Amino acid sequence: MPGDKYAKYGVAVPPADPNADVMTVQESAFVLKCSVSHLRRVLKDNPKLRSRSGRRVVMNRAARDAYYRMHQGDKHLAKAA
């Protein structure tokens, strides 16, 4: 059974403004259609994509675009198989 922290930080949530420049990891995961844990792993491996707002990890529009470009080929390969 998931705990309170998973419900708060581990679930993708729709952003209040989908066109916002800066979004939290949870909002970015919702927009990019991936899991929060996957996105956190990617940000850990690619520190240039990650930025911080206080203690909160956020992604700006350029980082989301870079993530999309890096991973859009994976989805096309999955459909072909």
Side-chain angles (χ1 to χ4, degrees):
M1 182 117 193
D4 293 336
K5 291 199 180 211
Y6 176 79
K8 186 173 182 181
Y9 300 112
V11 178
V13 296
D17 180 14
N19 296 319
D21 186 43
V22 177
M23 290 185 190
T24 65
V25 174
Q26 293 83 7
E27 293 171 336
S28 297
F30 182 86
V31 171
L32 295 170
K33 297 181 180 156
C34 65
S35 69
V36 175
S37 59
H38 169 74
L39 195 54
R40 286 186 187 276
R41 281 192 304 270
V42 169
L43 293 175
K44 184 178 179 184
D45 294 340
N46 301 299
K48 289 187 178 184
L49 296 179
R50 179 181 64 216
S51 57
R52 294 191 181 267
S53 173
R55 293 184 59 182
R56 189 160 220 175
V57 178
V58 295
M59 290 182 77
N60 61 18
R61 187 181 309 267
R64 288 191 304 273
D65 290 341
Y67 172 86
Y68 182 77
R69 285 193 308 275
M70 287 178 1
H71 291 88
Q72 74 182 20
D74 296 344
K75 293 178 183 174
H76 293 300
L77 292 175
K79 286 182 183 177

